[in-house]
Amino acid sequence: MFRAVASHSSAQIAMSAGSNALGRSGSGSASTKIIGPLASKLKDIRQNTHANLKLQLQKSLPPLKFEQASELAEQIETAEPDFNQLHARVEEFVQRNKNDPEAIVSALKYLNSQLMILSTAERQMKAQDAQTTQSLMRGLKTLIDNSASRGESIIQRLSNTKISPVFTAHPTNFNKPQASEIVLSQLENIASPRGNAKVCQELWEIQGVRELKPTVQDEANQFSANIRHLHSSGRTIHEQINQQLSGLPNNLKLSKPLVEAGNWVGGDRDGNPNIDATVLKDVVKTLSTAAFEYFEQEIGKENNTQTGSLCNLLCKSGHSESLGLIREKLARTRTHLVGNSPLPIQGDLYLNANELVHDLESLSIASLNTQEKATVQEKLDLLKLDADSIGFHGASTDIRQNSAMNEKTVGELLRRSGGPSNYESLGEIEKQTLLTNLLLNNKTVLSDAPIEGQSENAEFDREIALIKSYKTIHDSYGPQALKNCITANTETMSDMLEVMLLLKHAGLADEQGIKMNVVPLIETVNDLHNGPAILNSMLNNPWYRQALQASGNQQQIMVGYSDSNRLDGPLASSWAVYEGTAKMLEVAEQRGVSLHVFHGRGGTEARGSGDSYAQEIKSSNGASLLTGMRQTEQGEEVPAKYGTKTMSQSNLADMVGSTLETMAIGKDQQIAKYASTMEKLAQHARNHYESLYSNPELPHFFQSSTPIEFVGKSNAGSRPASRANTAGGGLNLDKLRAIPWVGSWYQSGSAMPAFFGTGSALKNFIDQPAGANTTPAQRTAQLQTMYQEWPFFKSFIDRTATAMEKADMKIAQEYAKLAPVQSQGVFEAIKNEYELTKEMILSIKQSNDLMDHNPVDAEILAVKKPLTQAAHAMQIGLLKAHQQAGPEIQERLIKPIVMSMQAIASSNRFG
């Protein structure tokens, strides 16, 4: 059982740090001595899993092929192999079996099963070892103390705070959901010989490439269990906070929920043609079903005799019959909202979950003793919070669409309404004037009916039907079901006005307020620099400002870590997000508006991910958290963080505690001190990254030396992997989505988007030309001081170091050999930048160890390293064989190539 694993003591971590500092190379780590309890436990699991998977290998292969695959597995398991030797052996294995890749597929099943089990067990053990309650209480106490010193109400501050993990289905989850579920559901027994053998057998049978792309509804169904875990964890956190608040004067308690579940599945229409009004409504039904199941469980079944339960205590008060009537009414409401019966529902219904709680509160508990009354009241207080956060909608689904599609939709709507025929070609000022006048004129009625004689416009009809469905969903499930309307690639004020007009057309906006938040998604570095101007324009618009005030006077913005990284590199991206957010906060404060910041992070370091919520959030500007925290959890990240109740509770407590602690600290006082330095670093890093991104050989190198060609064949998500196909036989990088861009570089060993430009910028800053006011030694000392005292800079350096530890230039060099000779300069630039960045980071950290900030993860990476190396070696051999083969063999190799991608992603994430 995992409970046997001890927590990491300070001494153990210090010992780990000492061992990890030995012999690290520039291309991954040298052999690391495993002494930490978590890594030791994982190593034991790896050995048991190896033995059980060898049995599966033997069952699945004829003797000769089993002998080949078994020898390979033994070489990986018995000692950390030299990569060059391993690569040569694997390439020989691939060449021998490429015509009939049965043995290759089995070897990849072995690797992926090992890495799936190890990575999932790692997350579960970390969650079990985490000081979950302590972290949450530390954050709450910090906020309580800060509020007291400022003379503010802690309840008011908590009431103004919303913390929301937002689940998205972006295509990063390569493994079959059934395979992931096998491991997640049996984690408690995976360390025992019998339990491990059972998991290995079941996992072996289900392993393989996803046969079909999931539908949007499939993705919603897959996340249902994670939503349920989040509901349960949110309730536990509300309970723990109430217990702490009750000890303060006046016996305080939360008046509004702190935690809310967010969702993009079914609402993320940006580039996903599979989403229409029917799909959106079906997904909302699925989320609603989870909500009804939650309330049914909390109320309890008729025969629930569990001592101290709400059902038990209310029945003890003589309300068995009344509870039965409440259950019946709830069941009728569920049938009405999510059932498929064509017949009308007989009997009264609940309009919302608050009515349900009101019915429960109306039941007298006078006959109970004092302690029992207190227990009932505590449970009803939590149900009130649940009614507001979970409601009958389950999770709040965001709507996201690209600004270009909104422009086309508005243009067609205006043409059908007798407006200008050339709306799309109008200038920005002309658009703003036209749209503002339409918003201000309450008598204007737009028509989406087709003009007589006009040809059909299926795209417009689908968009308008979807937009109109928002009102239907609001009327059925309440406004919490769809709260946010996000516009991707927001560049101008007209991008926002178009959304407002569409919402007004749908009946969701008027002078009395906007029923959905109009949220700009600001993604590129240029747009992030322009973000304050966009926000100022929004707040200057008379119609919008009046509507915003009527809706609570809070503006939400979303900042993106993905396209800014893809187009401008990691350092420029990180600084643009941080600085742009700070400047938008200043605009909002000047205009008397509160700002709620939504972070669009991915699962890898390149796309803003840290090793924990704490690392991500505690490096934030506390002023940006005064209204809470929203953050995307993409694809593979959802089961990784919320796949079990234990993971969910640990991660959500980390997210909430870190948010409360950092918001209490308030405005980042270091940003003004170091802004000019960061501007210099960011500009040079951006220029150096641009020199690589604009290299005409980069598309050729990327397409031939990474598995980008096979991302779309993985069937990892309902959304297409690219916004456009290749043009003229070449890859159009500007049309490529950030996830496959980043993921393919991680797959090919270099993790380039996580560091390129950083080392050059740091080196350039230190080596300023003669005549500068400071010496190179002084500038080095300044960077070291920034690392020590500025959480933003420390987090960026540590995230970069983690990505570089996962990278391996020996492996990347073998991938590079797959590219044309004329493209080899691309790899040389990447390798040189890696070495320079490593040198700079170690100097700034004043260490010889990239991972001295996280020695526990360094040991875990070492446990998985032989398997990860083997997966890379297998992928290199397969890509080479695919390049050399004819069409028939190429087709046979697609499945094993995708399976090699699964294995590498299981080790270190994809996007």
Side-chain angles (χ1 to χ4, degrees):
M1 299 287 284
F2 285 152
R3 293 295 176 190
V5 180
S7 61
H8 310 306
S9 69
S10 300
Q12 288 166 333
I13 290 176
M15 289 172 67
S16 295
S19 69
N20 287 339
L22 300 175
R24 294 193 179 278
S25 69
S27 297
S29 301
S31 180
T32 302
K33 185 178 179 182
I34 305 302
I35 59 173
L38 196 154
S40 296
K41 185 72 171 179
L42 286 174
K43 191 170 183 181
D44 291 342
I45 291 174
R46 192 184 90 184
Q47 290 169 349
N48 288 336
T49 305
H50 165 69
N52 287 316
L53 289 174
K54 272 192 68 177
L55 291 175
Q56 300 304 319
L57 270 175
Q58 189 171 19
K59 292 177 184 177
S60 66
L61 293 173
L64 183 58
K65 291 187 175 183
F66 166 68
E67 183 179 350
Q68 297 171 16
S70 177
E71 287 177 358
L72 191 59
E74 286 297 334
Q75 181 180 358
I76 297 165
E77 181 58 31
T78 52
E80 183 175 328
D82 174 81
F83 180 74
N84 291 331
Q85 294 177 3
L86 178 64
H87 170 58
R89 181 160 189 172
V90 168
E91 184 171 354
E92 178 187 357
F93 175 76
V94 170
Q95 290 294 329
R96 187 183 301 173
N97 292 281
K98 64 182 180 182
N99 293 344
D100 178 13
E102 178 187 21
I104 298 173
V105 167
S106 292
L108 287 164
K109 280 188 175 184
Y110 168 87
L111 290 171
N112 193 34
S113 296
Q114 274 272 36
L115 289 165
M116 281 186 73
I117 288 170
L118 288 172
S119 294
T120 310
E122 167 200 343
R123 292 189 284 269
Q124 180 78 347
M125 287 193 285
K126 282 181 175 178
Q128 289 174 335
D129 284 357
Q131 305 292 314
T132 301
T133 304
Q134 292 90 323
S135 173
L136 177 63
M137 292 302 107
R138 182 172 60 251
L140 180 61
K141 185 179 185 305
T142 304
L143 187 64
I144 290 171
D145 293 344
N146 176 264
S147 299
S149 68
R150 294 168 56 173
E152 295 178 346
S153 163
I154 181 62
I155 296 303
Q156 189 59 46
R157 293 192 74 178
L158 290 171
S159 296
N160 294 333
T161 303
K162 288 290 177 288
I163 299 172
S164 302
V166 181
F167 294 174
T168 82
H170 290 170
T172 61
N173 199 0
F174 277 40
N175 288 304
K176 292 180 180 179
Q178 305 94 313
S180 299
E181 181 55 30
I182 285 170
V183 183
L184 286 166
S185 64
Q186 300 181 63
L187 279 172
E188 291 301 321
N189 300 317
I190 211 163
S192 71
R194 181 176 296 180
N196 187 281
K198 183 173 182 290
V199 171
C200 288
Q201 179 180 345
E202 293 179 9
L203 193 55
W204 190 273
E205 292 170 356
I206 199 69
Q207 279 275 26
V209 177
R210 300 173 75 159
E211 290 82 7
L212 299 171
K213 290 180 73 68
T215 65
V216 177
Q217 185 59 52
D218 288 337
E219 291 168 334
N221 293 337
Q222 290 158 16
F223 284 169
S224 288
N226 308 119
I227 289 287
R228 289 175 173 85
H229 292 155
L230 184 54
H231 288 165
S232 177
S233 300
R235 180 185 178 87
T236 300
I237 284 171
H238 288 153
E239 182 178 19
Q240 291 172 335
I241 289 176
N242 271 348
Q243 289 171 352
Q244 188 76 4
L245 292 175
S246 67
L248 299 177
N250 302 319
N251 193 26
L252 301 177
K253 61 186 176 185
L254 289 169
S255 59
K256 292 183 180 180
L258 195 61
V259 175
E260 290 184 342
N263 168 62
W264 273 22
V265 180
D268 184 10
R269 301 154 54 211
D270 179 20
N272 193 338
N274 302 304
I275 294 176
D276 58 20
T278 300
V279 168
L280 175 59
K281 290 176 183 176
D282 286 345
V283 169
V284 172
K285 278 187 177 183
T286 299
L287 296 170
S288 179
T289 298
F292 278 106
E293 290 177 357
Y294 177 83
F295 284 108
E296 288 165 355
Q297 179 178 333
E298 290 303 319
I299 293 171
K301 296 182 179 179
E302 189 171 354
N303 297 324
N304 186 345
T305 57
Q306 181 183 348
T307 303
S309 69
L310 182 62
C311 174
N312 173 259
L313 292 173
L314 290 176
C315 287
K316 187 175 179 179
S317 299
H319 298 302
S320 297
E321 183 176 348
S322 297
L323 274 175
L325 294 174
I326 289 172
R327 291 190 192 96
E328 290 174 7
K329 187 174 180 180
L330 183 62
R332 286 195 299 272
T333 307
R334 174 176 177 169
T335 301
H336 171 67
L337 287 178
V338 303
N340 297 313
S341 173
L343 300 176
I345 306 300
Q346 300 297 320
D348 57 341
L349 307 171
Y350 287 118
L351 294 179
N352 52 58
N354 289 301
E355 290 189 355
L356 165 66
V357 177
H358 181 268
D359 276 0
L360 292 168
E361 287 184 311
S362 69
L363 302 177
S364 172
I365 55 174
S367 62
L368 298 179
N369 64 39
T370 302
Q371 181 58 50
E372 289 171 334
K373 287 177 182 177
T375 300
V376 170
Q377 190 57 56
E378 288 171 4
K379 292 182 180 299
L380 289 175
D381 287 341
L382 292 173
L383 272 180
K384 284 182 187 177
L385 299 176
D386 294 335
D388 286 340
S389 62
I390 299 173
F392 289 154
H393 61 280
S396 182
T397 297
D398 290 354
I399 301 297
R400 183 175 79 143
Q401 182 55 287
N402 193 283
S403 58
M405 179 59 74
N406 288 336
E407 181 187 56
K408 287 175 64 177
T409 303
V410 167
E412 179 64 14
L413 181 62
L414 294 178
R415 282 187 284 275
R416 293 189 179 195
S417 304
S421 60
N422 64 335
Y423 170 79
E424 292 90 335
S425 62
L426 295 178
E428 174 62 19
I429 300 301
E430 293 176 292
K431 286 181 180 178
Q432 289 187 28
T433 302
L434 172 62
L435 295 170
T436 300
N437 288 338
L438 289 170
L439 288 167
L440 287 170
N441 189 344
N442 294 324
K443 296 180 180 179
T444 301
V445 178
L446 300 177
S447 172
D448 53 58
I451 301 172
E452 186 175 349
Q454 184 185 46
S455 59
E456 290 187 5
N457 188 333
E459 183 180 69
F460 172 81
D461 292 340
R462 186 186 67 184
E463 287 293 302
I464 286 295
L466 230 165
I467 291 164
K468 287 183 172 180
S469 75
Y470 305 165
K471 179 68 162 58
T472 303
I473 291 169
H474 271 219
D475 291 344
S476 297
Y477 300 92
Q480 295 292 97
L482 299 179
K483 288 173 59 176
N484 302 306
C485 203
I486 301 168
T487 301
N489 299 118
T490 299
E491 297 176 346
T492 63
M493 178 57 192
S494 65
D495 292 338
M496 294 288 90
L497 293 171
E498 287 161 358
V499 178
M500 298 174 203
L501 187 66
L502 292 172
L503 289 177
K504 184 179 180 182
H505 181 65
L508 290 173
D510 54 33
E511 67 279 3
Q512 301 302 315
I514 303 179
K515 306 302 187 293
M516 294 181 69
N517 298 318
V518 177
V519 183
L521 168 49
I522 306 173
E523 300 179 83
T524 68
V525 167
N526 286 339
D527 291 340
L528 286 161
H529 289 164
N530 194 40
I534 294 173
L535 178 60
N536 203 42
S537 295
M538 291 178 70
L539 299 179
N540 276 335
N541 184 274
W543 182 89
Y544 181 65
R545 188 60 191 270
Q546 180 181 350
L548 188 68
Q549 288 176 334
S551 304
N553 214 33
Q554 182 178 109
Q555 176 63 50
Q556 185 177 158
I557 60 163
M558 183 174 181
V559 290
Y561 294 72
S562 299
D563 279 337
S564 56
N565 173 278
R566 178 176 64 86
L567 296 171
D568 300 291
L571 199 160
S573 168
S574 295
W575 176 240
V577 169
Y578 198 80
E579 182 198 36
T581 300
K583 290 186 174 180
M584 284 186 275
L585 283 164
E586 291 176 0
V587 170
E589 184 178 5
Q590 292 165 3
R591 306 304 300 276
V593 172
S594 61
L595 199 66
H596 192 61
V597 184
F598 182 11
H599 296 265
R601 298 185 195 270
T604 55
E605 297 82 7
R607 296 178 57 233
S609 178
D611 57 25
S612 65
Y613 279 125
Q615 187 191 50
E616 296 164 358
I617 295 171
K618 290 183 180 181
S619 63
S620 300
N621 183 347
S624 71
L625 300 172
L626 294 180
T627 59
M629 173 74 176
R630 288 193 100 222
Q631 177 167 311
T632 52
E633 299 299 343
Q634 298 186 1
E636 63 195 340
E637 288 297 291
V638 176
K641 290 181 178 175
Y642 299 92
T644 67
K645 289 183 179 180
T646 302
M647 292 179 194
S648 178
Q649 184 62 36
S650 173
N651 282 296
L652 189 60
D654 188 24
M655 187 181 192
V656 174
S658 298
T659 300
L660 299 182
E661 184 176 350
T662 309
M663 69 183 280
I665 295 171
K667 184 177 180 180
D668 180 3
Q669 300 301 320
Q670 303 291 347
I671 190 169
K673 181 178 179 181
Y674 293 125
S676 62
T677 297
M678 286 305 305
E679 287 293 342
K680 294 174 185 176
L681 292 171
Q683 187 57 54
H684 188 88
R686 187 181 185 188
N687 291 341
H688 193 65
Y689 184 88
E690 170 63 20
S691 71
L692 178 71
Y693 193 80
S694 61
N695 186 332
E697 288 300 324
L698 180 64
H700 306 297
F701 179 86
F702 181 65
Q703 192 165 15
S704 55
S705 68
T706 77
I708 181 63
E709 177 186 345
F710 302 91
V711 173
K713 296 172 183 177
S714 67
N715 294 327
S718 65
R719 192 180 75 167
S722 177
R723 294 183 175 92
N725 295 323
T726 55
L731 188 67
N732 186 344
L733 296 184
D734 290 335
K735 296 297 182 182
L736 189 66
R737 293 189 185 277
I739 292 173
W741 165 258
V742 170
S744 295
W745 286 109
Y746 271 70
Q747 286 271 319
S748 56
S750 74
M752 181 279 291
F755 65 83
F756 199 90
T758 300
S760 294
L762 294 169
K763 178 70 170 172
N764 179 74
F765 176 77
I766 292 171
D767 294 343
Q768 291 178 31
N773 294 330
T774 54
T775 66
Q778 289 172 323
R779 290 189 289 274
T780 300
Q782 180 190 336
L783 294 174
Q784 291 169 344
T785 301
M786 286 169 63
Y787 177 78
Q788 292 163 3
E789 70 178 24
W790 191 18
F792 163 75
F793 191 66
K794 183 179 191 308
S795 174
F796 173 75
I797 292 296
D798 288 345
R799 285 202 326 267
T800 306
T802 298
M804 295 178 71
E805 180 71 11
K806 294 176 182 178
D808 191 318
M809 286 300 121
K810 287 183 180 178
I811 291 174
Q813 187 160 25
E814 294 303 323
Y815 279 97
K817 291 176 183 177
L818 300 170
V821 174
Q822 64 270 24
S823 301
Q824 291 303 308
V826 172
F827 175 70
E828 288 305 311
I830 292 171
K831 182 181 178 182
N832 291 340
E833 185 68 11
Y834 176 95
E835 297 296 344
L836 179 59
T837 304
K838 181 189 174 187
E839 178 187 343
M840 292 294 100
I841 284 179
L842 291 178
S843 174
I844 290 168
K845 289 164 74 79
Q846 300 181 73
S847 171
N848 62 351
D849 180 8
L850 285 172
M851 289 294 287
D852 64 353
H853 62 283
N854 193 343
V856 173
D857 276 7
E859 288 191 346
I860 293 169
L861 288 172
V863 172
K864 294 191 287 186
K865 182 178 178 180
L867 298 158
T868 308
Q869 283 188 327
H872 279 297
M874 194 73 76
Q875 188 175 98
I876 294 165
L878 287 165
L879 290 173
K880 182 176 181 180
H882 188 272
Q883 287 181 354
Q884 296 172 343
E888 183 179 350
I889 301 302
Q890 283 186 334
E891 185 67 26
R892 294 179 191 173
L893 292 176
I894 290 174
K895 177 180 177 180
I897 289 173
V898 172
M899 290 181 70
S900 72
M901 296 170 72
Q902 290 175 331
I904 296 169
S906 292
S907 177
N908 288 328
R909 303 281 207 272
F910 178 75

